[in-house]
Amino acid sequence: EPRFHSAPSGFSDPPESAMDEEGRIVYIWRNPAAQLTKSNVFGASFPAAYVSQPVVAPPPAASGDFEALGAGEAAFGFIGVCFSFLPFLFCSGIVGLLIWAGLRSGKSRKLQYLPPKVAIEGHGIKRGLTAVEAAILMEQPVDKILTMTLFSTIKKGAASVKSRDPLELKVSTPQPEGLQAYEVDFLHAFALKGKTERRKKLQDMVVSLVKGVSEKMKGFSRKETEAYYRDIVERAWVQVETAETPEVKSAKYDEVMEWTMLDRQFDDRTRRTFSGGPVFVPVWWPRYDPGFPRTAPTTPKPVPGVPVPAVKGSQTALPHLPGSDFAASMVNSVQGFSAGVIGSVTDFTGGITNRTNPIPKAVTSSSSGKWKGGSSGGTSCACACACACAGCACACAGGGR
């Protein structure tokens, strides 16, 4: 015989016993005045010889004497069980939410590679930044920054693409004059054969680029400078979009291509701008596209419904591509760079952020033994947290922007 613990007030004690259709004993506690919003706990002890493992079994759906309980009491039994689990579910939900928020915050922080000091407001606009440096200031995705650097080296004749998948470059010798320091580092990275060594070198390049931009921004307003370069980006797109002929549009795009890539809507805007007509490719395009003919054919492939102009005084037509193909090539260049060269953008950028914008480390005070977070002004702040339920995890974060 089982031993029953004290039942909640108002319930029959001891419980009634009955037999279900499968020959199992069922114990029933009754209370017609039970409150549905209140949880109730019932206890019973059984000889160990009859219990192989701890089991809590719900009552059968409808069988034998259980039907005598009626729909109301059956519903109460189910709701009572639910309410008894609410505190656990609520606590688990909070823990899960905290973990999710922490993971999302950690992933987002990996992409914030600019150090906090760049956000300290100075006065005036910092002019003269290159498009790549402006991209760093705007904290553009690293794969886009590397793609912009790829195009800048190709346009200057410093490199050409040997294969696009995987991306391999042929570095020109001797190097042309006027290369930026980050372009030289970029080419040095692609001179390495191993993927791991190449990625490490590219991370070093971006770290140096971030530090260089931080140095140039000393004393200048980041907010005003960003607005200045966003205006340059918009004006660059206007020049391309308002061009009256395909030849002029292509020429304008060649001039301002790096600036248009700073647009957050670069993908969609490129497709809209170049759909429906030909694009006359610049002279450096064959160095980017190994499959494109380096010598323009005397009889170019026509684009349906679009006349192909010819260069005056020559029988050779300007090399061109259908606009959709050109747009797809530009848009996919960023995706191809991340997939084939640096791998996970978040992990790659995280390696940069750890060096340019690391999380402030906690230090132990030798006098008090308490954990404190240091600050540049010489002050300190204590950090503590508490949880209402067991198993919760707390974390304190310092620094910020």
Side-chain angles (χ1 to χ4, degrees):
E1 288 293 329
R3 293 181 181 179
F4 298 104
H5 303 280
S6 297
S9 178
F11 286 88
S12 57
D13 188 15
E16 301 175 9
S17 63
M19 192 77 68
D20 66 7
E21 293 179 348
E22 298 181 10
R24 298 177 300 184
I25 298 177
V26 178
Y27 295 97
I28 304 170
W29 286 266
R30 296 182 182 274
N31 183 3
Q35 299 179 13
L36 297 181
T37 57
K38 180 182 178 182
S39 62
N40 296 281
V41 180
F42 304 87
S45 300
F46 297 85
Y50 297 100
V51 181
S52 59
Q53 59 182 351
V55 176
V56 177
S63 63
D65 292 332
F66 181 69
E67 289 183 333
L69 289 174
E73 293 187 34
F76 159 74
F78 174 76
I79 294 174
V81 172
C82 289
F83 273 99
S84 67
F85 278 97
L86 278 181
F88 170 77
L89 293 176
F90 179 74
C91 184
S92 300
I94 292 178
V95 175
L97 183 61
L98 289 174
I99 294 174
W100 174 82
L103 292 174
R104 183 174 182 180
S105 176
K107 182 177 180 180
S108 176
R109 196 190 185 286
K110 285 183 178 181
L111 304 178
Q112 298 173 353
Y113 50 78
L114 274 185
K117 62 183 179 182
V118 177
I120 299 176
E121 293 301 327
H123 298 283
I125 299 169
K126 175 58 183 176
R127 295 174 171 83
L129 297 180
T130 66
V132 173
E133 290 172 332
I136 289 288
L137 182 65
M138 296 179 179
E139 238 169 345
Q140 291 274 354
V142 173
D143 54 341
K144 179 181 286 189
I145 292 171
L146 294 175
T147 305
M148 293 171 65
T149 308
L150 169 66
F151 278 114
S152 67
T153 56
I154 290 175
K155 290 180 68 174
K156 292 178 180 180
S160 59
V161 176
K162 291 193 298 184
S163 67
R164 295 176 67 171
D165 188 17
L167 180 62
E168 294 293 341
L169 301 183
K170 178 182 179 182
V171 180
S172 302
T173 304
Q175 287 288 292
E177 297 181 359
L179 292 178
Q180 299 288 340
Y182 58 83
E183 293 173 330
V184 174
D185 291 341
F186 180 86
L187 295 174
H188 286 169
F190 272 90
L192 301 174
K193 299 301 182 182
K195 289 186 177 181
T196 302
E197 293 80 5
R198 179 177 295 177
R199 290 172 183 170
K200 176 64 168 59
K201 187 66 176 179
L202 289 174
Q203 284 181 325
D204 294 342
M205 165 213 151
V206 179
V207 169
S208 298
L209 187 55
V210 170
K211 292 180 178 178
V213 173
S214 300
E215 188 67 24
K216 290 183 178 182
M217 284 300 298
K218 285 184 177 179
F220 294 94
S221 168
R222 178 179 177 180
K223 182 178 180 181
E224 294 178 29
T225 303
E226 284 188 1
Y228 171 76
Y229 287 106
R230 280 197 298 269
D231 181 64
I232 290 180
V233 172
E234 184 58 32
R235 286 189 284 113
W237 269 119
V238 170
Q239 292 182 48
V240 176
E241 293 170 339
T242 58
E244 296 181 355
T245 65
E247 299 97 320
V248 176
K249 178 181 290 187
S250 301
K252 288 295 182 182
Y253 187 76
D254 183 27
E255 294 174 9
V256 300
M257 184 184 72
E258 291 92 338
W259 293 105
T260 63
M261 293 184 73
L262 286 177
D263 191 347
R264 298 283 183 181
Q265 304 298 322
F266 171 75
D267 293 8
D268 294 337
R269 207 162 182 176
T270 299
R271 291 189 178 96
R272 291 198 306 267
T273 301
F274 294 104
S275 61
V279 173
F280 299 96
V281 299
V283 294
W284 53 264
W285 187 261
R287 294 198 294 271
Y288 167 68
D289 185 357
F292 194 82
R294 295 181 179 271
T295 303
T298 55
T299 307
K301 182 180 179 180
V303 178
V306 179
V308 179
V311 181
K312 294 182 179 179
S314 173
Q315 298 300 317
T316 302
L318 290 173
H320 67 283
L321 283 173
S324 58
D325 292 350
F326 176 82
S329 181
M330 292 301 302
V331 170
N332 294 336
S333 62
V334 178
Q335 300 172 358
F337 204 106
S338 61
V341 180
I342 64 176
S344 168
V345 177
T346 302
D347 293 341
F348 182 86
T349 309
I352 297 169
T353 304
N354 290 339
R355 298 163 62 183
T356 60
N357 183 22
I359 298 176
K361 295 182 179 179
V363 296
T364 304
S365 173
S366 58
S367 60
S368 64
K370 296 181 179 179
W371 289 96
K372 296 182 179 180
S375 63
S376 58
T379 61
S380 62
C381 58
C383 177
C385 55
C387 286
C389 48
C392 291
C394 292
C396 296
R401 56 186 70 241

